[in-house]
Amino acid sequence: MTAIAAPGRRLLDGNDYKTLALSALGGALEFYDFIIFVFFVTVLGHLFFPPEIPEWVQQVQAFGIFAAGYLARPLGGLVMAHFGDRLGRKRMFTLSILLMALSTLGIAALPTYATIGIAAPILLLAMRVLQGAAIGGEVPGAWTFVSEHVPVHRIGLACGILTCGLTAGILLGSLVATAVNVIFTPADILGFAWRVPFLLGGVFGLVAVYLRQWLAETPVFIEMKARKALAAELPLKAVLRDHRGPTILSMLLTWMLSGAIVVAILMTPTLLQTLYKIPATDTLAANSIATLFLTFGCVLAGLIVDKVGAGRFFTIGSLFFGAATYYFYSSVAADPATLYPLAALAGFSVGVIGAVPYVMVKAFPAAVRFTGVSFAYNIAYAIFGGLTPLLVTLALKSDPMAHAHYLAFLSLLGAGIGVYLWSRDQH
């Protein structure tokens, strides 16, 4: 079966820009809702678990609930993708952000352990699982949605802008968490202010739900429905039977994407503090700069991959990513004055991930595209996104540059995929 493509080489019009803007905005807000939990995990550990247990146990349990969101991603993503391939992209695209908004508002309204006892962490876990299910449907759904709206020669740009929105959600979460800690005292945060970022996320999410009603179903799905070309069987069955190569390729790219985000963005503030003894305020500022430049890198990656193709882009871009991140980690300890510019360079280089969805959405035929992307992305992210912090932390005991070596390995993986795609394009 051949993929149905969006209309040819027309220019982006007003409807395209509206679709990209609303999709990226919704993605940013949804990713903010998903990630804000980690910035308040210490506070949540105090509030939602018995006060008599050791603090480290509270933290482990709170991080366990955070991780549960990742484990719920594959199931939520597959369910939404199944109906997205059968009933329409727009419905699931709207459902994912509604589910995220309601579960985030649910966290903001939860009573704590002091009020309802053991029911508090159980309810927190339930809300986190719903958040995970929502994000599992949002990311592959968003990539599928925008790629089927724009001309085929702008799929890379569309996916890059969308990925820029997702990473901007991480930056927004960091800025809101910083603002809450600046405005309120620690006692205020424990008392009530911890609810503020979740309340904001839920309200913004509901606004995004309203805005998404102005989006139209993708032309690709409408055409498939009119031609009765929708999947005639369970979409996942077709993916596992007929599209194993694209699935493995997409999983490997997701490994690169998840490892780059987890190590270079999420773990780096802690790594800089513990390994390089750089003050927390400086590391958080550097991380915000890196995340900002990551958003620029994602858009540029989308622009370039449309021009030169996935093979050339990943071959060269992945090596740049490996070199820039390795230089950052190996140089910043020697001269802390270079922290901010090198963080910007490293963050920018991570933007290579902005081209990952370009390959994924083109790898599967339209009838099972949502399911194929969702299955590969969510399963791989649950495995590699979940295991990466553990593997890197364990490796640091014997190799003080384990984090840099891990990213170097991922850059070689990306370059290898680039060579494979390049050779395939030439045949």
Side-chain angles (χ1 to χ4, degrees):
M1 182 185 295
T2 57
I4 300 174
R9 298 190 65 84
R10 64 177 176 81
L11 298 175
L12 294 180
D13 58 24
N15 286 329
D16 294 322
Y17 287 117
K18 180 183 76 172
T19 297
L20 290 172
L22 292 179
S23 299
L25 174 63
L29 295 176
E30 188 157 357
F31 230 70
Y32 163 87
D33 286 353
F34 186 73
I35 207 71
I36 195 68
F37 191 105
V38 77
F39 293 111
F40 291 91
V41 74
T42 301
V43 175
L44 295 172
H46 283 300
L47 294 172
F48 282 86
F49 295 97
E52 63 270 14
I53 64 175
E55 184 174 351
W56 71 269
V57 177
Q58 292 177 347
Q59 297 306 297
V60 168
Q61 292 177 327
F63 272 113
I65 289 180
F66 174 73
Y70 284 90
L71 298 177
R73 289 172 73 147
L75 180 59
L78 284 175
V79 170
M80 290 191 195
H82 171 82
F83 290 106
D85 279 331
R86 301 297 292 271
L87 302 178
R89 320 306 199 195
K90 180 185 173 182
R91 292 184 186 181
M92 295 303 106
F93 196 36
T94 303
L95 175 62
S96 67
I97 200 166
L98 176 62
L99 183 60
M100 180 65 82
L102 294 178
S103 55
T104 305
L105 282 175
I107 293 177
L110 281 181
T112 62
Y113 187 89
T115 304
I116 60 172
I118 194 63
I122 293 174
L123 289 173
L124 182 63
L125 174 62
M127 293 300 103
R128 184 62 184 167
V129 167
L130 291 177
Q131 283 191 322
I135 204 74
E138 168 70 17
V139 178
W143 286 337
T144 301
F145 189 83
V146 298
S147 69
E148 291 184 353
H149 263 288
V150 300
V152 290
H153 66 292
R154 287 291 180 263
I155 288 177
L157 176 60
C159 289
I161 290 174
L162 200 285
T163 308
C164 163
L166 299 177
T167 57
I170 300 174
L171 177 60
L172 181 61
S174 176
L175 295 175
V176 169
T178 301
V180 168
N181 281 280
V182 168
I183 295 171
F184 299 101
T185 66
D188 287 338
I189 293 173
L190 279 171
F192 68 92
W194 69 269
R195 300 181 187 274
V196 172
F198 294 99
L199 179 63
L200 287 174
V203 171
F204 288 151
L206 291 177
V207 171
V209 171
Y210 172 76
L211 292 175
R212 280 191 177 178
Q213 72 173 317
W214 303 110
L215 295 174
E217 182 57 85
T218 73
V220 172
F221 186 85
I222 292 172
E223 181 186 343
M224 285 194 302
K225 188 174 182 179
R227 291 173 42 199
K228 302 188 184 307
L230 300 178
E233 58 182 344
L234 190 70
L236 180 58
K237 181 180 178 182
V239 168
L240 294 177
R241 185 190 63 225
D242 302 328
H243 306 288
R244 293 174 188 169
T247 299
I248 293 172
L249 174 65
S250 298
M251 284 182 163
L252 291 174
L253 283 169
T254 301
W255 183 6
M256 178 183 174
L257 179 151
S258 63
I261 289 293
V262 168
V263 176
I265 302 299
L266 299 183
M267 290 183 68
T268 288
T270 301
L271 293 170
L272 292 177
Q273 292 168 41
T274 57
L275 298 177
Y276 304 99
K277 309 306 178 186
I278 298 174
T281 52
D282 293 338
T283 64
L284 292 173
N287 198 56
S288 294
I289 292 171
T291 308
L292 177 63
F293 276 82
L294 165 60
T295 63
F296 299 148
C298 286
V299 177
L300 184 61
L303 276 168
I304 295 174
V305 78
D306 277 331
K307 298 291 186 183
V308 305
R312 289 183 179 88
F313 176 81
F314 277 103
T315 301
I316 299 170
S318 298
L319 295 176
F320 169 61
F321 155 64
T325 52
Y326 197 90
Y327 183 64
F328 170 65
Y329 293 119
S330 60
S331 301
V332 73
D335 185 7
T338 63
L339 174 63
Y340 294 158
L342 290 183
L345 178 65
F348 181 74
S349 74
V350 177
V352 69
I353 66 168
V356 166
Y358 170 88
V359 178
M360 295 173 70
V361 298
K362 297 183 76 171
F364 297 95
V368 295
R369 180 175 293 142
F370 196 164
T371 297
V373 172
S374 182
F375 175 79
Y377 173 80
N378 284 308
I379 295 293
Y381 209 114
I383 295 171
F384 299 117
L387 290 179
T388 290
L390 177 62
L391 293 174
V392 171
T393 302
L394 291 175
L396 281 169
K397 293 180 179 180
S398 57
D399 177 10
M401 284 287 284
H403 48 299
H405 293 148
Y406 183 72
L407 293 181
F409 164 75
L410 291 180
S411 75
L412 293 177
L413 173 66
I417 292 172
V419 171
Y420 165 73
L421 293 173
W422 199 343
S423 64
R424 195 177 65 174
D425 291 342
Q426 292 176 339
H427 289 86

